[in-house]
Amino acid sequence: MLLWFVVAYWVLSVAIGLWVALRVHSTADYAAAGHRMPLAVVTATVFATWFGSETVLGIPATFLQEGLHGVVADPFGSSLCLILVGLFFAVPLYRKKLLTIGDFYRLQYGRSVEILVTLCIVVSYLGWVAAQIKALGLVFNVVSEGQMSKETGMIVGATTVMVYTLFGGMLSVAITDFIQMIIIMLGMVYIAWDLSATAGGVSVVVAHAAAHGKFDFWPQAHAADIIGFFTAWITMMLGSIPQQDVFQRVTSSRNESTARNASVLGGSLYFLFAFIPMFLAYSATLIDPGLVQRYLHTDSQMILPRLILDHSPELAQVMFFGALLSAIKSCASATLLAPSVTFAENVVRGFFKQMTDTQLLRVMRLVVLVFTGLVTWIALRSELSIFKMVESAYKITLVAAFVPLAFGVYWKGARPLGGLLSVLGGAGVWLLCEAWAPEALIPPQLAGLMASTLGMVGGSLWVRQRAVVGA
């Protein structure tokens, strides 16, 4: 029953995406859902995009090993990212009526910064999308009881997600995300209720976790621990802000209040629901300690799926894997679309200025196809865990894209030279530190962020001083 449910659900969801794709007639439909999505749909797509494989499989595995201290980046940093976007960035960016986040960098700093930041954004998605594809392979392998290998599952999953993303773009993603958010919420709540009874109740699980130090959150009073903790937090909290998928949800809204409120609501919902998979995984220590010991230090991402298969009735299994597939598929489709759209708009189109809207739409779809092949290849070859693949994805946008965005929105003195030095200085220092001193007291991405800030301020002030002297 479980296998047939997975097959039926997968076919139905792809069919819905393709049906919605019939309504895509322009790049505005494809990249921004026509700028007409209501609050409920935008909130759903914000939540569903963030609630991916790392939330259901990666975060719980890390929580079992390190407790809350180990998941400071996600969900604490990632949920705050969405809330910060809603409070400080959604309205200013929405008012500009841009197609991509890369357009902002072009208008503010010029073509060179546009290309550099766009390439950084595209690179940042490689690990994130690969993590979703890797998770799809794991799910298909588990529900088929090993009849489908993880590698085959990755290829099948990536291909089918690509199909409706390629044709329907943001419009298909938004509508399918709305449906999938409902499935995620219902599935997670039902499974939590079912397994909590098996484990002896919510209070028993929580008390056991507290007694074993799993709720220790703050770092030790040592410089290295404090700096490392702070860096992990801001990597996803700030590094996720200048991302095309976040911007797409802002610009797809029907008005600026929807853009603001949907980001805050989506981030808040994500933070609350991200704790359910952690609760489920930890309940395994009470329900089946042997299962935890068997997988904890070998393949901890398997603990929760195996717990559901071994200790839940068939209906619970259907609910869990339905929610898991919804989470992965919504995240995968969004993260396939975002880098493809921004690469087509901000890199390719700049070299072919006479390109029509129809031609640009074709280029966007072609880039989706190529990008899918690339990230599938990475997923097949990567040995990193899902959590680490996602966590590492935001370092490059933290050091190269966040400062130019924040200063461009809130500092009238930001100049093109400052933006260029910010991107080059931040990315350059980060790469040098990663190569020569990855374990230094100041983590590479924090050093890159500081260099990016200095480049922005120094370059902009130097231009202003030259202008004053010249006058």
Side-chain angles (χ1 to χ4, degrees):
M1 177 180 174
L2 177 60
L3 180 59
W4 283 112
F5 164 78
V6 168
V7 173
Y9 171 75
W10 196 255
V11 172
L12 178 62
S13 60
V14 172
I16 292 173
L18 289 174
W19 175 70
V20 175
L22 297 175
R23 290 155 177 77
V24 174
H25 304 295
S26 67
T27 54
D29 291 335
Y30 193 79
H35 307 288
R36 60 179 181 267
M37 293 292 103
L39 178 64
V41 174
V42 181
T43 300
T45 194
V46 168
F47 169 84
T49 299
W50 241 239
F51 203 97
S53 62
E54 72 281 0
T55 314
V56 183
L57 301 175
I59 294 175
T62 304
F63 174 75
L64 283 174
Q65 295 173 319
E66 304 177 36
L68 282 183
H69 181 80
V71 295
V72 59
D74 194 3
F76 289 93
S78 54
S79 57
L80 275 173
C81 160
L82 295 172
I83 293 171
L84 290 175
V85 167
L87 294 177
F88 299 106
F89 293 94
V91 172
L93 291 176
Y94 184 86
R95 288 175 178 171
K96 293 182 180 296
K97 295 294 183 182
L98 305 173
L99 190 64
T100 69
I101 188 70
D103 292 343
F104 171 85
Y105 293 96
R106 181 184 69 252
L107 294 175
Q108 183 69 38
Y109 303 109
R111 175 68 175 158
S112 297
V113 173
E114 175 194 18
I115 293 178
L116 289 172
V117 172
T118 297
L119 292 177
C120 289
I121 290 173
V122 171
V123 169
S124 74
Y125 278 99
L126 295 176
W128 192 7
V129 187
Q132 311 312 313
I133 294 173
K134 193 169 187 176
L136 285 174
L138 186 150
V139 172
F140 286 133
N141 175 258
V142 169
V143 298
S144 67
E145 294 292 340
Q147 295 180 46
M148 180 180 288
S149 68
K150 292 180 180 179
E151 292 75 17
T152 302
M154 291 182 203
I155 296 171
V156 170
T159 302
T160 49
V161 170
M162 179 201 68
V163 168
Y164 78 83
T165 305
L166 186 148
F167 290 105
M170 185 61 194
L171 196 59
S172 286
V173 169
I175 300 304
T176 53
D177 277 359
F178 180 73
I179 298 170
Q180 287 161 177
M181 187 190 79
I182 297 172
I183 296 173
I184 291 168
M185 289 183 168
L186 292 177
M188 287 293 111
V189 170
Y190 177 80
I191 293 297
W193 171 79
D194 180 75
L195 283 183
S196 65
T198 306
V202 174
S203 60
V204 173
V205 177
V206 172
H208 191 275
H212 287 77
K214 295 302 180 182
F215 294 149
D216 294 340
F217 180 69
W218 299 106
Q220 298 294 320
H222 301 100
D225 289 337
I226 294 172
I227 294 173
F229 180 85
F230 173 75
T231 303
W233 198 332
I234 66 169
T235 296
M236 291 191 72
M237 182 174 68
L238 302 182
S240 303
I241 291 176
Q243 288 284 13
Q244 174 62 17
D245 64 285
V246 176
F247 177 82
Q248 279 180 310
R249 276 124 196 88
V250 168
T251 194
S252 67
S253 304
R254 61 170 45 161
N255 53 50
E256 61 187 45
S257 63
T258 296
R260 178 187 61 244
N261 296 336
S263 294
V264 174
L265 285 172
S268 301
L269 285 172
Y270 173 74
F271 182 75
L272 293 174
F273 274 82
F275 283 92
I276 295 180
M278 284 189 272
F279 169 82
L280 294 174
Y282 194 80
S283 67
T285 62
L286 299 176
I287 298 171
D288 191 346
L291 172 69
V292 177
Q293 290 300 317
R294 186 162 68 251
Y295 287 108
L296 185 60
H297 300 295
T298 56
D299 192 1
S300 56
Q301 295 165 161
M302 285 293 296
I303 292 175
L304 186 50
R306 288 276 21 134
L307 176 70
I308 301 299
L309 287 174
D310 296 344
H311 297 279
S312 294
E314 204 160 38
L315 177 59
Q317 294 176 22
V318 167
M319 294 293 286
F320 172 78
F321 284 101
L324 178 55
L325 282 173
S326 294
I328 299 171
K329 193 162 72 64
S330 60
C331 189
S333 59
T335 50
L336 276 177
L337 178 65
S340 304
V341 165
T342 193
F343 184 83
E345 164 71 9
N346 300 113
V347 176
V348 178
R349 190 177 194 178
F351 294 106
F352 301 94
K353 298 185 183 299
Q354 303 305 315
M355 187 182 298
T356 65
D357 191 77
T358 301
Q359 290 171 332
L360 178 60
L361 182 57
R362 291 172 183 164
V363 171
M364 287 180 178
R365 286 171 167 159
L366 177 61
V367 177
V368 169
L369 178 64
V370 174
F371 193 76
T372 302
L374 177 60
V375 294
T376 303
W377 178 78
I378 292 173
L380 289 168
R381 295 179 63 86
S382 177
E383 298 297 329
L384 291 176
S385 70
I386 292 170
F387 185 83
K388 288 299 181 184
M389 290 175 77
V390 173
E391 185 181 26
S392 300
Y394 300 103
K395 292 179 181 179
I396 188 169
T397 45
L398 173 70
V399 302
F402 172 72
V403 170
L405 176 64
F407 276 75
V409 171
Y410 284 104
W411 187 35
K412 293 182 179 179
R415 296 292 185 270
L417 179 61
L420 182 61
L421 293 179
S422 180
V423 176
L424 294 177
V429 169
W430 169 63
L431 290 172
L432 288 174
C433 291
E434 286 282 5
W436 293 344
E439 304 298 328
L441 178 63
I442 303 297
Q445 66 265 41
L446 182 57
L449 179 64
M450 293 188 291
S452 180
T453 305
L454 288 173
M456 169 59 70
V457 175
S460 297
L461 290 180
W462 188 79
V463 170
R464 292 177 64 184
Q465 182 64 33
R466 287 285 302 273
V468 171
V469 172

